[in-house]
Amino acid sequence: MTSDLAAKEIVATALGLSVGEVDGETSLGTTPSWDSLAHFRLVLALEERLGRRLDAVEIVGITDLPGVAALLT
Amino acid sequence: MVLSFAKKTEPDAFLSKHVETERFYLVPCNQSEAIKVTAPWRTNPDTLQSLMFGEAAYSQSEWVKKIGKPDGSKLFYHAIVAKEIKGTIGAHRITLDRSGTVKLAIVVHAEDWWGKGVFEEVRAGLMDHFSQSPRVERFFGRVLERNFSSIYNYKKLGFRLIGHDRKSWRCPATNELFDTLHFEFLKDDWIEKRRNETS
């Protein structure tokens, strides 16, 4: 699975959306379902997937789909 | 012998005003009111950790000292009163120093309101109000690296990450060291952002 697809799936699950509803425009600032609780779920899901704690700079960079995909690369 | 007396700080008539947002009244508190609205924080280790306070719990007398005396000039507490339920759901703390830096902290203790954009609406309302004062130059917030919700909120409002202090806060409950993040928003940038949002 590519990191882009994996990122879409993780973001979709955290935000309660379908994978088809997640695209390059999906972001913390523009997507209504990306609220603080969804963000919390997203960070934990990424840590589970990567098998490690994210550091502070990585956490701050989780603001859009490309940012999530970059962590999975 | 020379006796010196601390000069009494006069409240700032403008900054001491009530603030109203779409869903909330932000009501300035005196010391006894601040102690009352922050009472749920005093023995809640999660809340105290998110505020990076130095103890895992406070006695009533310790809490009175910790809260300090809101003077309407350098220290402010605002009760967050939800119009919908006519009740207090949290509080916001602000300190304003002589350089014009406003330090911000918020706790929403009513869990029913978590994830409902309280932080964003309350903080934007207070930043709109305080940015009208000539005494204010910038807004500043410091959060723990694991406080994902606060980090989200700062990013959502457009704050800029300006610092990452490694192992800079020791949790009194666990003795564990945490990194902290510093966020900033210059007043002029905030005013421009809000102007752009409404134009």
PDB file of all heavy atoms in Angstrom, chain B residues 123-155:
ATOM      1  N   ARG B 123     -11.166  31.985  22.335  1.00  0.00           N
ATOM      2  CA  ARG B 123      -9.869  32.650  22.152  1.00  0.00           C
ATOM      3  C   ARG B 123      -9.943  33.732  21.079  1.00  0.00           C
ATOM      4  O   ARG B 123      -9.377  34.812  21.254  1.00  0.00           O
ATOM      5  CB  ARG B 123      -8.792  31.632  21.816  1.00  0.00           C
ATOM      6  CG  ARG B 123      -7.444  32.262  21.769  1.00  0.00           C
ATOM      7  CD  ARG B 123      -6.371  31.394  22.283  1.00  0.00           C
ATOM      8  NE  ARG B 123      -6.429  31.126  23.707  1.00  0.00           N
ATOM      9  CZ  ARG B 123      -5.646  30.246  24.316  1.00  0.00           C
ATOM     10  NH1 ARG B 123      -4.777  29.565  23.624  1.00  0.00           N
ATOM     11  NH2 ARG B 123      -5.711  30.056  25.620  1.00  0.00           N
ATOM     12  N   ALA B 124     -10.642  33.456  20.009  1.00  0.00           N
ATOM     13  CA  ALA B 124     -10.770  34.484  18.964  1.00  0.00           C
ATOM     14  C   ALA B 124     -11.484  35.718  19.521  1.00  0.00           C
ATOM     15  O   ALA B 124     -11.085  36.852  19.243  1.00  0.00           O
ATOM     16  CB  ALA B 124     -11.522  33.921  17.760  1.00  0.00           C
ATOM     17  N   GLY B 125     -12.510  35.479  20.343  1.00  0.00           N
ATOM     18  CA  GLY B 125     -13.224  36.607  20.943  1.00  0.00           C
ATOM     19  C   GLY B 125     -12.324  37.435  21.839  1.00  0.00           C
ATOM     20  O   GLY B 125     -12.325  38.677  21.781  1.00  0.00           O
ATOM     21  N   LEU B 126     -11.533  36.763  22.655  1.00  0.00           N
ATOM     22  CA  LEU B 126     -10.638  37.494  23.559  1.00  0.00           C
ATOM     23  C   LEU B 126      -9.496  38.164  22.797  1.00  0.00           C
ATOM     24  O   LEU B 126      -9.088  39.279  23.129  1.00  0.00           O
ATOM     25  CB  LEU B 126     -10.088  36.541  24.628  1.00  0.00           C
ATOM     26  CG  LEU B 126     -11.118  36.109  25.679  1.00  0.00           C
ATOM     27  CD1 LEU B 126     -10.555  34.995  26.558  1.00  0.00           C
ATOM     28  CD2 LEU B 126     -11.543  37.298  26.547  1.00  0.00           C
ATOM     29  N   MET B 127      -9.002  37.493  21.766  1.00  0.00           N
ATOM     30  CA  MET B 127      -7.925  38.115  20.980  1.00  0.00           C
ATOM     31  C   MET B 127      -8.451  39.324  20.198  1.00  0.00           C
ATOM     32  O   MET B 127      -7.757  40.329  20.069  1.00  0.00           O
ATOM     33  CB  MET B 127      -7.283  37.078  20.054  1.00  0.00           C
ATOM     34  CG  MET B 127      -6.420  36.071  20.817  1.00  0.00           C
ATOM     35  SD  MET B 127      -5.825  34.702  19.799  1.00  0.00           S
ATOM     36  CE  MET B 127      -4.657  35.530  18.735  1.00  0.00           C
ATOM     37  N   ASP B 128      -9.667  39.237  19.703  1.00  0.00           N
ATOM     38  CA  ASP B 128     -10.266  40.406  19.046  1.00  0.00           C
ATOM     39  C   ASP B 128     -10.343  41.579  20.025  1.00  0.00           C
ATOM     40  O   ASP B 128     -10.037  42.718  19.686  1.00  0.00           O
ATOM     41  CB  ASP B 128     -11.684  40.079  18.559  1.00  0.00           C
ATOM     42  CG  ASP B 128     -11.694  39.226  17.298  1.00  0.00           C
ATOM     43  OD1 ASP B 128     -10.646  39.150  16.627  1.00  0.00           O
ATOM     44  OD2 ASP B 128     -12.745  38.635  17.000  1.00  0.00           O
ATOM     45  N   HIS B 129     -10.768  41.273  21.246  1.00  0.00           N
ATOM     46  CA  HIS B 129     -10.923  42.324  22.256  1.00  0.00           C
ATOM     47  C   HIS B 129      -9.564  42.901  22.666  1.00  0.00           C
ATOM     48  O   HIS B 129      -9.353  44.117  22.618  1.00  0.00           O
ATOM     49  CB  HIS B 129     -11.648  41.746  23.470  1.00  0.00           C
ATOM     50  CG  HIS B 129     -11.923  42.748  24.538  1.00  0.00           C
ATOM     51  ND1 HIS B 129     -12.747  43.834  24.343  1.00  0.00           N
ATOM     52  CD2 HIS B 129     -11.471  42.850  25.821  1.00  0.00           C
ATOM     53  CE1 HIS B 129     -12.797  44.554  25.455  1.00  0.00           C
ATOM     54  NE2 HIS B 129     -12.031  43.978  26.362  1.00  0.00           N
ATOM     55  N   PHE B 130      -8.645  42.027  23.033  1.00  0.00           N
ATOM     56  CA  PHE B 130      -7.351  42.511  23.531  1.00  0.00           C
ATOM     57  C   PHE B 130      -6.523  43.165  22.429  1.00  0.00           C
ATOM     58  O   PHE B 130      -5.698  44.045  22.714  1.00  0.00           O
ATOM     59  CB  PHE B 130      -6.579  41.348  24.190  1.00  0.00           C
ATOM     60  CG  PHE B 130      -6.956  41.133  25.628  1.00  0.00           C
ATOM     61  CD1 PHE B 130      -8.216  40.647  25.977  1.00  0.00           C
ATOM     62  CD2 PHE B 130      -6.073  41.436  26.654  1.00  0.00           C
ATOM     63  CE1 PHE B 130      -8.581  40.473  27.300  1.00  0.00           C
ATOM     64  CE2 PHE B 130      -6.426  41.271  27.989  1.00  0.00           C
ATOM     65  CZ  PHE B 130      -7.678  40.785  28.311  1.00  0.00           C
ATOM     66  N   SER B 131      -6.731  42.756  21.190  1.00  0.00           N
ATOM     67  CA  SER B 131      -5.925  43.357  20.115  1.00  0.00           C
ATOM     68  C   SER B 131      -6.321  44.812  19.852  1.00  0.00           C
ATOM     69  O   SER B 131      -5.610  45.534  19.150  1.00  0.00           O
ATOM     70  CB  SER B 131      -6.040  42.533  18.827  1.00  0.00           C
ATOM     71  OG  SER B 131      -7.355  42.522  18.355  1.00  0.00           O
ATOM     72  N   GLN B 132      -7.428  45.247  20.432  1.00  0.00           N
ATOM     73  CA  GLN B 132      -7.813  46.660  20.283  1.00  0.00           C
ATOM     74  C   GLN B 132      -7.096  47.565  21.282  1.00  0.00           C
ATOM     75  O   GLN B 132      -7.228  48.784  21.211  1.00  0.00           O
ATOM     76  CB  GLN B 132      -9.324  46.799  20.481  1.00  0.00           C
ATOM     77  CG  GLN B 132     -10.149  46.108  19.403  1.00  0.00           C
ATOM     78  CD  GLN B 132     -11.629  46.229  19.700  1.00  0.00           C
ATOM     79  OE1 GLN B 132     -12.190  47.323  19.757  1.00  0.00           O
ATOM     80  NE2 GLN B 132     -12.274  45.097  19.902  1.00  0.00           N
ATOM     81  N   SER B 133      -6.365  46.966  22.216  1.00  0.00           N
ATOM     82  CA  SER B 133      -5.683  47.764  23.236  1.00  0.00           C
ATOM     83  C   SER B 133      -4.280  48.153  22.777  1.00  0.00           C
ATOM     84  O   SER B 133      -3.524  47.299  22.305  1.00  0.00           O
ATOM     85  CB  SER B 133      -5.586  46.969  24.539  1.00  0.00           C
ATOM     86  OG  SER B 133      -4.702  47.612  25.437  1.00  0.00           O
ATOM     87  N   PRO B 134      -3.896  49.413  22.972  1.00  0.00           N
ATOM     88  CA  PRO B 134      -2.522  49.816  22.630  1.00  0.00           C
ATOM     89  C   PRO B 134      -1.476  49.172  23.536  1.00  0.00           C
ATOM     90  O   PRO B 134      -0.285  49.200  23.225  1.00  0.00           O
ATOM     91  CB  PRO B 134      -2.541  51.333  22.806  1.00  0.00           C
ATOM     92  CG  PRO B 134      -3.698  51.616  23.697  1.00  0.00           C
ATOM     93  CD  PRO B 134      -4.707  50.539  23.445  1.00  0.00           C
ATOM     94  N   ARG B 135      -1.912  48.574  24.637  1.00  0.00           N
ATOM     95  CA  ARG B 135      -0.961  47.923  25.548  1.00  0.00           C
ATOM     96  C   ARG B 135      -0.543  46.549  25.040  1.00  0.00           C
ATOM     97  O   ARG B 135       0.401  45.950  25.556  1.00  0.00           O
ATOM     98  CB  ARG B 135      -1.589  47.761  26.939  1.00  0.00           C
ATOM     99  CG  ARG B 135      -1.890  49.078  27.649  1.00  0.00           C
ATOM    100  CD  ARG B 135      -2.618  48.816  28.951  1.00  0.00           C
ATOM    101  NE  ARG B 135      -1.854  47.942  29.823  1.00  0.00           N
ATOM    102  CZ  ARG B 135      -2.393  47.120  30.723  1.00  0.00           C
ATOM    103  NH1 ARG B 135      -3.698  47.044  30.842  1.00  0.00           N
ATOM    104  NH2 ARG B 135      -1.626  46.359  31.476  1.00  0.00           N
ATOM    105  N   VAL B 136      -1.243  46.027  24.040  1.00  0.00           N
ATOM    106  CA  VAL B 136      -1.001  44.649  23.581  1.00  0.00           C
ATOM    107  C   VAL B 136      -0.213  44.635  22.277  1.00  0.00           C
ATOM    108  O   VAL B 136      -0.496  45.404  21.357  1.00  0.00           O
ATOM    109  CB  VAL B 136      -2.356  43.922  23.385  1.00  0.00           C
ATOM    110  CG1 VAL B 136      -2.156  42.574  22.708  1.00  0.00           C
ATOM    111  CG2 VAL B 136      -3.054  43.751  24.730  1.00  0.00           C
ATOM    112  N   GLU B 137       0.815  43.770  22.238  1.00  0.00           N
ATOM    113  CA  GLU B 137       1.632  43.624  21.024  1.00  0.00           C
ATOM    114  C   GLU B 137       1.581  42.218  20.435  1.00  0.00           C
ATOM    115  O   GLU B 137       1.669  42.038  19.232  1.00  0.00           O
ATOM    116  CB  GLU B 137       3.099  43.965  21.329  1.00  0.00           C
ATOM    117  CG  GLU B 137       3.347  45.415  21.660  1.00  0.00           C
ATOM    118  CD  GLU B 137       3.042  46.347  20.489  1.00  0.00           C
ATOM    119  OE1 GLU B 137       3.116  45.910  19.334  1.00  0.00           O
ATOM    120  OE2 GLU B 137       2.698  47.519  20.747  1.00  0.00           O
ATOM    121  N   ARG B 138       1.493  41.227  21.289  1.00  0.00           N
ATOM    122  CA  ARG B 138       1.539  39.852  20.778  1.00  0.00           C
ATOM    123  C   ARG B 138       0.813  38.894  21.722  1.00  0.00           C
ATOM    124  O   ARG B 138       0.657  39.193  22.919  1.00  0.00           O
ATOM    125  CB  ARG B 138       2.988  39.380  20.575  1.00  0.00           C
ATOM    126  CG  ARG B 138       3.761  39.191  21.835  1.00  0.00           C
ATOM    127  CD  ARG B 138       5.264  39.028  21.590  1.00  0.00           C
ATOM    128  NE  ARG B 138       5.664  37.679  21.261  1.00  0.00           N
ATOM    129  CZ  ARG B 138       6.140  36.799  22.150  1.00  0.00           C
ATOM    130  NH1 ARG B 138       6.228  37.102  23.438  1.00  0.00           N
ATOM    131  NH2 ARG B 138       6.534  35.612  21.763  1.00  0.00           N
ATOM    132  N   PHE B 139       0.423  37.778  21.161  1.00  0.00           N
ATOM    133  CA  PHE B 139      -0.216  36.711  21.941  1.00  0.00           C
ATOM    134  C   PHE B 139       0.721  35.507  21.967  1.00  0.00           C
ATOM    135  O   PHE B 139       1.381  35.212  20.965  1.00  0.00           O
ATOM    136  CB  PHE B 139      -1.551  36.330  21.309  1.00  0.00           C
ATOM    137  CG  PHE B 139      -2.520  37.477  21.244  1.00  0.00           C
ATOM    138  CD1 PHE B 139      -2.644  38.235  20.080  1.00  0.00           C
ATOM    139  CD2 PHE B 139      -3.290  37.815  22.346  1.00  0.00           C
ATOM    140  CE1 PHE B 139      -3.526  39.298  20.018  1.00  0.00           C
ATOM    141  CE2 PHE B 139      -4.174  38.882  22.293  1.00  0.00           C
ATOM    142  CZ  PHE B 139      -4.291  39.621  21.121  1.00  0.00           C
ATOM    143  N   PHE B 140       0.725  34.830  23.099  1.00  0.00           N
ATOM    144  CA  PHE B 140       1.693  33.751  23.292  1.00  0.00           C
ATOM    145  C   PHE B 140       1.046  32.596  24.055  1.00  0.00           C
ATOM    146  O   PHE B 140       0.264  32.819  24.982  1.00  0.00           O
ATOM    147  CB  PHE B 140       2.895  34.283  24.080  1.00  0.00           C
ATOM    148  CG  PHE B 140       3.903  33.229  24.464  1.00  0.00           C
ATOM    149  CD1 PHE B 140       4.905  32.863  23.578  1.00  0.00           C
ATOM    150  CD2 PHE B 140       3.853  32.611  25.708  1.00  0.00           C
ATOM    151  CE1 PHE B 140       5.841  31.892  23.923  1.00  0.00           C
ATOM    152  CE2 PHE B 140       4.781  31.641  26.067  1.00  0.00           C
ATOM    153  CZ  PHE B 140       5.779  31.279  25.164  1.00  0.00           C
ATOM    154  N   GLY B 141       1.374  31.381  23.630  1.00  0.00           N
ATOM    155  CA  GLY B 141       0.901  30.218  24.358  1.00  0.00           C
ATOM    156  C   GLY B 141       1.969  29.147  24.426  1.00  0.00           C
ATOM    157  O   GLY B 141       2.762  28.992  23.490  1.00  0.00           O
ATOM    158  N   ARG B 142       2.011  28.432  25.535  1.00  0.00           N
ATOM    159  CA  ARG B 142       2.991  27.353  25.719  1.00  0.00           C
ATOM    160  C   ARG B 142       2.209  26.076  26.054  1.00  0.00           C
ATOM    161  O   ARG B 142       1.339  26.103  26.933  1.00  0.00           O
ATOM    162  CB  ARG B 142       3.935  27.709  26.864  1.00  0.00           C
ATOM    163  CG  ARG B 142       4.991  26.679  27.180  1.00  0.00           C
ATOM    164  CD  ARG B 142       5.874  27.186  28.322  1.00  0.00           C
ATOM    165  NE  ARG B 142       6.888  26.215  28.672  1.00  0.00           N
ATOM    166  CZ  ARG B 142       7.166  25.826  29.919  1.00  0.00           C
ATOM    167  NH1 ARG B 142       6.523  26.343  30.934  1.00  0.00           N
ATOM    168  NH2 ARG B 142       8.107  24.931  30.154  1.00  0.00           N
ATOM    169  N   VAL B 143       2.515  25.017  25.338  1.00  0.00           N
ATOM    170  CA  VAL B 143       1.773  23.768  25.566  1.00  0.00           C
ATOM    171  C   VAL B 143       2.732  22.592  25.646  1.00  0.00           C
ATOM    172  O   VAL B 143       3.840  22.627  25.102  1.00  0.00           O
ATOM    173  CB  VAL B 143       0.747  23.499  24.444  1.00  0.00           C
ATOM    174  CG1 VAL B 143      -0.262  24.614  24.354  1.00  0.00           C
ATOM    175  CG2 VAL B 143       1.417  23.273  23.113  1.00  0.00           C
ATOM    176  N   LEU B 144       2.250  21.548  26.289  1.00  0.00           N
ATOM    177  CA  LEU B 144       3.018  20.305  26.343  1.00  0.00           C
ATOM    178  C   LEU B 144       2.982  19.610  24.990  1.00  0.00           C
ATOM    179  O   LEU B 144       1.963  19.645  24.290  1.00  0.00           O
ATOM    180  CB  LEU B 144       2.437  19.367  27.399  1.00  0.00           C
ATOM    181  CG  LEU B 144       2.646  19.766  28.857  1.00  0.00           C
ATOM    182  CD1 LEU B 144       1.834  18.847  29.757  1.00  0.00           C
ATOM    183  CD2 LEU B 144       4.120  19.693  29.215  1.00  0.00           C
ATOM    184  N   GLU B 145       4.072  18.939  24.656  1.00  0.00           N
ATOM    185  CA  GLU B 145       4.154  18.256  23.352  1.00  0.00           C
ATOM    186  C   GLU B 145       3.070  17.208  23.164  1.00  0.00           C
ATOM    187  O   GLU B 145       2.692  16.893  22.042  1.00  0.00           O
ATOM    188  CB  GLU B 145       5.520  17.584  23.200  1.00  0.00           C
ATOM    189  CG  GLU B 145       5.772  16.551  24.287  1.00  0.00           C
ATOM    190  CD  GLU B 145       6.964  15.645  24.014  1.00  0.00           C
ATOM    191  OE1 GLU B 145       7.358  15.497  22.860  1.00  0.00           O
ATOM    192  OE2 GLU B 145       7.498  15.100  25.007  1.00  0.00           O
ATOM    193  N   ARG B 146       2.554  16.638  24.255  1.00  0.00           N
ATOM    194  CA  ARG B 146       1.524  15.595  24.156  1.00  0.00           C
ATOM    195  C   ARG B 146       0.116  16.151  24.313  1.00  0.00           C
ATOM    196  O   ARG B 146      -0.843  15.381  24.370  1.00  0.00           O
ATOM    197  CB  ARG B 146       1.761  14.508  25.210  1.00  0.00           C
ATOM    198  CG  ARG B 146       3.135  13.877  25.161  1.00  0.00           C
ATOM    199  CD  ARG B 146       3.392  13.081  23.908  1.00  0.00           C
ATOM    200  NE  ARG B 146       2.570  11.895  23.785  1.00  0.00           N
ATOM    201  CZ  ARG B 146       2.535  11.144  22.684  1.00  0.00           C
ATOM    202  NH1 ARG B 146       3.256  11.479  21.622  1.00  0.00           N
ATOM    203  NH2 ARG B 146       1.763  10.080  22.622  1.00  0.00           N
ATOM    204  N   ASN B 147      -0.010  17.455  24.381  1.00  0.00           N
ATOM    205  CA  ASN B 147      -1.341  18.064  24.490  1.00  0.00           C
ATOM    206  C   ASN B 147      -1.861  18.303  23.067  1.00  0.00           C
ATOM    207  O   ASN B 147      -1.874  19.428  22.555  1.00  0.00           O
ATOM    208  CB  ASN B 147      -1.259  19.370  25.279  1.00  0.00           C
ATOM    209  CG  ASN B 147      -2.627  19.920  25.631  1.00  0.00           C
ATOM    210  OD1 ASN B 147      -3.634  19.523  25.038  1.00  0.00           O
ATOM    211  ND2 ASN B 147      -2.664  20.815  26.587  1.00  0.00           N
ATOM    212  N   PHE B 148      -2.299  17.205  22.432  1.00  0.00           N
ATOM    213  CA  PHE B 148      -2.659  17.262  21.009  1.00  0.00           C
ATOM    214  C   PHE B 148      -3.791  18.243  20.744  1.00  0.00           C
ATOM    215  O   PHE B 148      -3.804  18.926  19.715  1.00  0.00           O
ATOM    216  CB  PHE B 148      -3.073  15.880  20.506  1.00  0.00           C
ATOM    217  CG  PHE B 148      -2.054  14.798  20.738  1.00  0.00           C
ATOM    218  CD1 PHE B 148      -2.454  13.510  21.056  1.00  0.00           C
ATOM    219  CD2 PHE B 148      -0.700  15.064  20.639  1.00  0.00           C
ATOM    220  CE1 PHE B 148      -1.521  12.505  21.272  1.00  0.00           C
ATOM    221  CE2 PHE B 148       0.238  14.064  20.857  1.00  0.00           C
ATOM    222  CZ  PHE B 148      -0.178  12.786  21.177  1.00  0.00           C
ATOM    223  N   SER B 149      -4.755  18.294  21.644  1.00  0.00           N
ATOM    224  CA  SER B 149      -5.899  19.185  21.415  1.00  0.00           C
ATOM    225  C   SER B 149      -5.474  20.646  21.412  1.00  0.00           C
ATOM    226  O   SER B 149      -5.924  21.435  20.573  1.00  0.00           O
ATOM    227  CB  SER B 149      -6.972  18.953  22.488  1.00  0.00           C
ATOM    228  OG  SER B 149      -7.482  17.650  22.375  1.00  0.00           O
ATOM    229  N   SER B 150      -4.616  21.012  22.333  1.00  0.00           N
ATOM    230  CA  SER B 150      -4.159  22.410  22.361  1.00  0.00           C
ATOM    231  C   SER B 150      -3.312  22.738  21.139  1.00  0.00           C
ATOM    232  O   SER B 150      -3.439  23.820  20.561  1.00  0.00           O
ATOM    233  CB  SER B 150      -3.351  22.691  23.638  1.00  0.00           C
ATOM    234  OG  SER B 150      -4.224  22.821  24.726  1.00  0.00           O
ATOM    235  N   ILE B 151      -2.452  21.804  20.760  1.00  0.00           N
ATOM    236  CA  ILE B 151      -1.636  22.035  19.560  1.00  0.00           C
ATOM    237  C   ILE B 151      -2.551  22.235  18.352  1.00  0.00           C
ATOM    238  O   ILE B 151      -2.361  23.156  17.548  1.00  0.00           O
ATOM    239  CB  ILE B 151      -0.669  20.850  19.329  1.00  0.00           C
ATOM    240  CG1 ILE B 151       0.384  20.823  20.441  1.00  0.00           C
ATOM    241  CG2 ILE B 151      -0.001  20.957  17.949  1.00  0.00           C
ATOM    242  CD1 ILE B 151       1.234  19.558  20.445  1.00  0.00           C
ATOM    243  N   TYR B 152      -3.563  21.362  18.252  1.00  0.00           N
ATOM    244  CA  TYR B 152      -4.554  21.512  17.172  1.00  0.00           C
ATOM    245  C   TYR B 152      -5.156  22.918  17.207  1.00  0.00           C
ATOM    246  O   TYR B 152      -5.260  23.588  16.178  1.00  0.00           O
ATOM    247  CB  TYR B 152      -5.654  20.459  17.347  1.00  0.00           C
ATOM    248  CG  TYR B 152      -6.902  20.739  16.553  1.00  0.00           C
ATOM    249  CD1 TYR B 152      -7.035  20.269  15.257  1.00  0.00           C
ATOM    250  CD2 TYR B 152      -7.939  21.500  17.094  1.00  0.00           C
ATOM    251  CE1 TYR B 152      -8.174  20.540  14.515  1.00  0.00           C
ATOM    252  CE2 TYR B 152      -9.078  21.779  16.362  1.00  0.00           C
ATOM    253  CZ  TYR B 152      -9.189  21.300  15.075  1.00  0.00           C
ATOM    254  OH  TYR B 152     -10.312  21.590  14.341  1.00  0.00           O
ATOM    255  N   ASN B 153      -5.570  23.338  18.390  1.00  0.00           N
ATOM    256  CA  ASN B 153      -6.258  24.625  18.489  1.00  0.00           C
ATOM    257  C   ASN B 153      -5.358  25.801  18.109  1.00  0.00           C
ATOM    258  O   ASN B 153      -5.800  26.730  17.434  1.00  0.00           O
ATOM    259  CB  ASN B 153      -6.803  24.810  19.905  1.00  0.00           C
ATOM    260  CG  ASN B 153      -8.014  23.924  20.154  1.00  0.00           C
ATOM    261  OD1 ASN B 153      -8.877  23.797  19.292  1.00  0.00           O
ATOM    262  ND2 ASN B 153      -8.078  23.301  21.316  1.00  0.00           N
ATOM    263  N   TYR B 154      -4.117  25.761  18.542  1.00  0.00           N
ATOM    264  CA  TYR B 154      -3.201  26.838  18.162  1.00  0.00           C
ATOM    265  C   TYR B 154      -2.982  26.858  16.645  1.00  0.00           C
ATOM    266  O   TYR B 154      -2.964  27.922  16.011  1.00  0.00           O
ATOM    267  CB  TYR B 154      -1.865  26.708  18.896  1.00  0.00           C
ATOM    268  CG  TYR B 154      -1.909  27.254  20.300  1.00  0.00           C
ATOM    269  CD1 TYR B 154      -1.888  26.424  21.410  1.00  0.00           C
ATOM    270  CD2 TYR B 154      -1.998  28.632  20.527  1.00  0.00           C
ATOM    271  CE1 TYR B 154      -1.957  26.930  22.702  1.00  0.00           C
ATOM    272  CE2 TYR B 154      -2.062  29.147  21.810  1.00  0.00           C
ATOM    273  CZ  TYR B 154      -2.040  28.294  22.892  1.00  0.00           C
ATOM    274  OH  TYR B 154      -2.116  28.802  24.159  1.00  0.00           O
ATOM    275  N   LYS B 155      -2.810  25.666  16.076  1.00  0.00           N
ATOM    276  CA  LYS B 155      -2.609  25.609  14.620  1.00  0.00           C
ATOM    277  C   LYS B 155      -3.862  26.078  13.882  1.00  0.00           C
ATOM    278  O   LYS B 155      -3.783  26.783  12.878  1.00  0.00           O
ATOM    279  CB  LYS B 155      -2.266  24.175  14.192  1.00  0.00           C
ATOM    280  CG  LYS B 155      -0.936  23.663  14.726  1.00  0.00           C
ATOM    281  CD  LYS B 155       0.248  24.373  14.119  1.00  0.00           C
ATOM    282  CE  LYS B 155       0.436  24.017  12.650  1.00  0.00           C
ATOM    283  NZ  LYS B 155       1.636  24.672  12.078  1.00  0.00           N
TER     284      LYS B 155
END
